[in-house]
Amino acid sequence: MSLLEVRGLIKHYQAGGGFFRATRERVRAVDGVSLSLDRGETLGLVGESGCGKSTLGKLIVRLEEPTAGKIFYNDREITSLSGENLRELRCKIQIIFQDPYSSLNPRQTVGSIIGEPLANFKVGAKEAQRQRVSELLETVGLDPEHISRYPHEFSGGQLQRINIARALALRPELIVCDEPVSSLDVSIRVQILNLLRELKRRFELSYIFISHDLAAVSYLADRIAVMYLGKIVEVLPTGDLVSGACHPYTRVLLAAVPVADPRQRYNRRVTVQGEPPNPASPPPGCRFHPRCPEARQACREKEPVLKEVGERHLVRCHLS
Amino acid sequence: MPGEPVLAVDDLKTVFLTRHGVIKAVNGVSFAVEAGKTLGLVGESGCGKTVTSLSLLGLIEPPGKILSGEVRLNGYNLLSMSQKQLRQVRGKEISLVLQNPMTSLNPVLTVGTQIIETIISHERVSRAEARQRAFDLLTRVGLPYPEKLLKCYPFQLSGGMRQRAMIAMALALHPKVLIADEPTTALDVTVQAQILTELRRLQTEFNTAIILITHDLGVVAEMADEVAVMYAGSIVEYGGVIEVFENPGHPYTRALLRSVPRLDRKCETLEHIQGQPPSLLNIPDRCAFLPRCPVAVGECSGPRPRLEAVASKHMVACYQACKVRARELQPA
């Protein structure tokens, strides 16, 4: 049974309007996404900037209202929950953002930041809450003595730990991690990735791990979904990523990741030109065709559907 | 044949005098680059890579101060030049590409105007000639419709296009040295791959020496001929790229290399370095990596280890690395 299921999710934004412009563009940030997440699974969501991966994350935690489509959590539809029901859902699904600096209030102490969800949901008495905050700090590898410090007294990596502690406070089942390590230094990145791994084991969490970094995603995820211009183009088990990726875009992404081995440098070719097109006016047919090294006539005319090509392996491409 | 270096930096020390004390951002750094070669300067944020590059160009402003050192380009010491002389050198002999092209391009001038101005301010050419050269440059860095782009403002371009325009401008006067400070960090991987390929092609064409500053070991492996690993304001390891990646001598380099998730190798658990880089404020004169070092012994708390050769063209600033290597060299 899947923990989370998304069906035909669409989010369009009105953009570029403004007072003086007659026509308004519709940015198709998420344009018909269906996917599911099993309990205890980590699903990696990769793609270039502007592909809609963060929007999808926000839709799942209900921070954005979808234009169309449905979201199910534990077989219960949560797409239009509101009021007390939505509040209840917040205990189950949490999110961690990319920038640890801007997602913490600089005028709150760490104790009150992590304790806020507890206070909001009236979990236990004051003293018990304080106890729980210390415990959370310890869980994420921070000194409980620092409970009354302010965010500016911590480094980026420590702030991200505070964000994680806050997300854990209400004992959620699913955490959406939106680029949690992208703004961190190399040596700190692995600390956080390892922490997320350990927490998953300890608290039986499920993650949706959003990142543009294929290598980081493949370190944590069980399955990887690749997004391009608002659509999922390939979903496959992490183990098959390097050898079994079918979609030309996935292969292009893989080829573009620099490998930390100087002897391999000349094995690499640039296989894609240009940058992703504007999501307000996606190309007709397959959205990747203008950049695709293998595009044919059919790719320009007809949009491919996501079809199963192997076990737990879906591809949206005419050629596979 | 190993040539004369075009740029040689010797014992550069740059400090920032703040209310809280002296920040030793660059603490005695020396390196050299040859024409047509790339030196990768790697390190985490705050290790002094950017301050090093700004020091080379004389762009350090109060409260920053270059305490000592020499930066020799063409036999001249850049650090003893006047501002007027430096203006002649910047752009013409040595130029800079920064991480965020949006902040380094002038938002109210067209791309064309900015490149043309760069050329006219250094060379006696007509505007039409400069314009033609700007056109050629934009074509060379792989930008489509150069004619149209010359009339565009930076905000009308995408991130990748801006960075290409920046590179075009930096190479407009065929400088001998190009400093590229995290040139692809803000870009998507596919665009990064394009820009790196472009940089390498232009480097061969103009025989430019590149100092590539980055935190990404993959990018270094891809681009550099030599690597200098910086930690807390000093170079802790310096050598040929294959030597450093395959036989890293410094525990920090080893840990960095081990902590990068890689696609070409399946690995269950990555090791991570405990703790975080030290504050550069009032750093004591000893090994800066000591508090995080997994192989530290008693003698490591002595004075700061200096770079010593452990192999030909491979230097490491670590007591342990030198000792291990010395033992290996001893005949049994």
Side-chain angles (χ1 to χ4, degrees):
Chain A
M1 191 191 76
S2 53
L3 179 70
L4 178 87
E5 198 177 336
V6 169
R7 283 189 212 149
L9 207 58
I10 294 178
K11 176 70 187 179
H12 290 180
Y13 292 101
Q14 295 283 3
F19 192 71
F20 294 106
R21 259 191 241 177
T23 53
R24 284 186 154 198
E25 292 184 311
R26 284 177 82 77
V27 174
R28 298 146 175 260
V30 173
D31 209 12
V33 165
S34 302
L35 50 82
S36 68
L37 176 80
D38 290 339
R39 192 175 281 276
E41 190 186 27
T42 299
L43 177 72
L45 202 57
V46 288
E48 292 174 277
S49 44
C51 74
K53 51 191 193 306
S54 288
T55 307
L56 180 57
K58 286 185 193 152
L59 287 169
I60 289 170
V61 291
R62 291 286 319 277
L63 283 176
E64 290 278 354
E65 290 307 310
T67 313
K70 288 185 170 148
I71 310 167
F72 296 87
Y73 184 78
N74 262 335
D75 281 341
R76 173 168 164 237
E77 189 177 345
I78 58 163
T79 329
S80 48
L81 285 188
S82 61
E84 199 47 45
N85 290 330
L86 182 60
R87 254 177 72 85
E88 233 169 77
L89 180 75
R90 299 261 183 255
C91 304
K92 301 286 174 217
I93 308 182
Q94 284 288 323
I95 186 165
I96 302 164
F97 294 104
Q98 169 172 6
D99 183 0
Y101 299 89
S102 63
S103 40
L104 297 174
N105 185 343
R107 301 177 61 168
Q108 263 181 302
T109 63
V110 170
S112 98
I113 287 172
I114 302 175
E116 194 164 310
L118 300 172
N120 275 344
F121 285 86
K122 305 199 172 57
V123 185
K126 271 259 150 61
E127 198 35 53
Q129 285 179 8
R130 210 181 154 76
Q131 186 59 38
R132 171 92 176 118
V133 171
S134 306
E135 192 187 300
L136 282 163
L137 280 171
E138 217 161 4
T139 307
V140 297
L142 290 173
D143 189 347
E145 298 275 295
H146 295 169
I147 194 161
S148 37
R149 291 200 181 178
Y150 288 88
H152 73 91
E153 298 173 78
F154 294 90
S155 68
Q158 291 172 319
L159 290 177
Q160 201 56 296
R161 287 174 193 269
I162 295 169
N163 270 308
I164 295 173
R166 177 175 61 182
L168 288 175
L170 293 169
R171 305 180 196 276
E173 297 172 328
L174 170 64
I175 301 183
V176 174
C177 311
D178 188 0
E179 303 265 14
V181 295
S182 306
S183 61
L184 304 176
D185 263 318
V186 198
S187 71
I188 310 298
R189 232 175 247 190
V190 188
Q191 291 179 1
I192 298 293
L193 289 177
N194 283 341
L195 173 68
L196 286 171
R197 252 190 176 193
E198 181 207 316
L199 294 175
K200 181 187 160 176
R201 248 195 314 261
R202 210 165 131 193
F203 301 112
E204 293 168 345
L205 296 167
S206 305
Y207 289 140
I208 291 187
F209 188 86
I210 303 172
S211 175
H212 66 278
D213 184 348
L214 261 179
V217 167
S218 68
Y219 181 57
L220 279 192
D222 303 306
R223 260 189 321 149
I224 294 180
V226 183
M227 259 183 107
Y228 187 74
L229 277 186
K231 289 203 184 270
I232 287 187
V233 297
E234 183 157 15
V235 185
L236 76 173
T238 306
D240 298 345
L241 178 68
V242 176
S243 55
C246 291
H247 199 284
Y249 180 62
T250 314
R251 290 212 297 269
V252 154
L253 273 186
L254 280 167
V257 178
V259 177
D261 178 356
R263 286 196 199 267
Q264 284 186 36
R265 68 167 70 166
Y266 297 112
N267 297 342
R268 232 188 73 187
R269 301 173 303 259
V270 178
T271 49
V272 69
Q273 296 301 322
E275 291 168 55
N278 184 352
S281 49
C286 170
R287 297 188 169 193
F288 186 56
H289 88 257
R291 299 172 78 198
C292 182
E294 295 165 45
R296 319 242 162 110
Q297 193 53 37
C299 308
R300 292 180 195 102
E301 287 158 2
K302 204 169 136 250
E303 175 148 19
V305 291
L306 204 57
K307 58 179 179 246
E308 200 157 353
V309 295
E311 211 192 327
R312 287 160 69 83
H313 188 172
L314 301 168
V315 181
R316 187 191 292 277
C317 179
H318 287 308
L319 303 175
S320 49
Chain B
M1 188 191 88
E4 261 307 274
V6 263
L7 180 87
V9 177
D10 191 28
D11 198 29
L12 182 69
K13 279 187 182 152
T14 306
V15 295
F16 289 84
L17 309 165
T18 68
R19 263 191 308 154
H20 307 287
V22 180
I23 293 177
K24 290 183 183 162
V26 179
N27 199 2
V29 159
S30 309
F31 57 83
V33 235
E34 289 167 27
K37 298 279 186 206
T38 302
L39 170 74
L41 211 53
V42 215
E44 299 180 83
S45 43
C47 73
K49 349 183 255 299
T50 297
V51 176
T52 305
S53 72
L54 295 178
S55 305
L56 301 189
L57 288 159
L59 291 173
I60 297 294
E61 292 195 344
K65 193 167 184 267
I66 297 175
L67 273 192
S68 72
E70 244 182 52
V71 178
R72 278 188 311 277
L73 179 78
N74 285 342
Y76 296 102
N77 182 3
L78 293 187
L79 297 186
S80 58
M81 280 185 174
S82 68
Q83 281 299 320
K84 203 174 153 199
Q85 287 170 312
L86 270 175
R87 285 195 66 146
Q88 297 293 314
V89 174
R90 290 184 199 138
K92 175 105 183 99
E93 307 281 341
I94 179 167
S95 61
L96 179 66
V97 173
L98 290 167
Q99 173 175 354
N100 186 348
M102 197 58 211
T103 52
S104 35
L105 288 165
N106 187 331
V108 296
L109 295 179
T110 62
V111 171
T113 311
Q114 297 186 51
I115 303 183
I116 293 167
E117 259 185 12
T118 311
I119 299 174
I120 291 183
S121 62
H122 285 275
E123 290 180 20
R124 298 180 71 90
V125 292
S126 72
R127 217 177 163 81
E129 222 173 298
R131 194 186 157 76
Q132 182 55 43
R133 271 175 60 184
F135 179 91
D136 291 342
L137 279 163
L138 290 180
T139 321
R140 279 224 186 111
V141 293
L143 282 168
Y145 316 115
E147 190 61 41
K148 207 172 129 198
L149 274 176
L150 285 174
K151 296 192 196 113
C152 281
Y153 290 90
F155 78 88
Q156 293 172 301
L157 310 183
S158 70
M161 287 163 93
R162 271 181 226 137
Q163 198 58 295
R164 282 171 202 261
M166 252 335 275
I167 292 171
M169 197 186 302
L171 294 175
L173 301 158
H174 304 179
K176 296 192 175 64
V177 181
L178 175 72
I179 302 173
D181 189 351
E182 304 268 11
T184 55
T185 306
L187 306 174
D188 277 317
V189 275
T190 53
V191 182
Q192 164 170 288
Q194 296 164 19
I195 300 255
L196 294 181
T197 311
E198 220 65 66
L199 260 182
R200 205 151 47 198
R201 199 174 54 72
L202 293 165
Q203 174 176 39
T204 323
E205 195 177 327
F206 298 131
N207 202 25
T208 318
I210 297 182
I211 298 175
L212 179 72
I213 298 173
T214 178
H215 68 277
D216 188 331
L217 290 163
V219 171
V220 175
E222 194 92 351
M223 297 288 289
D225 299 292
E226 288 192 318
V227 192
V229 182
M230 283 189 79
Y231 190 78
S234 311
I235 293 179
V236 294
E237 181 151 10
Y238 186 24
V241 68
I242 291 184
E243 176 73 14
V244 171
F245 273 72
E246 288 179 0
N247 299 308
H250 199 282
Y252 177 63
T253 318
R254 273 204 298 275
L256 269 190
L257 283 168
R258 273 203 298 255
S259 66
V260 182
R262 283 173 64 161
L263 286 168
D264 59 330
R265 268 186 216 160
K266 190 70 205 155
C267 104
E268 264 321 300
T269 315
L270 291 168
E271 292 168 44
H272 59 253
I273 322 174
Q274 295 297 341
Q276 41 201 308
S279 140
L280 296 176
L281 196 65
N282 310 321
I283 38 176
D285 188 43
R286 56 162 198 193
C287 174
F289 189 59
L290 182 61
R292 302 173 80 188
C293 187
V295 295
V297 293
E299 71 165 327
C300 291
S301 45
R304 193 157 60 106
R306 277 191 301 209
L307 276 177
E308 276 179 52
V310 289
S312 92
K313 289 195 169 175
H314 186 185
M315 297 192 289
V316 180
C318 171
Y319 288 119
Q320 298 310 311
C322 298
K323 217 163 59 186
V324 169
R325 198 51 76 105
R327 241 182 275 138
E328 280 170 12
L329 291 178
Q330 222 137 70

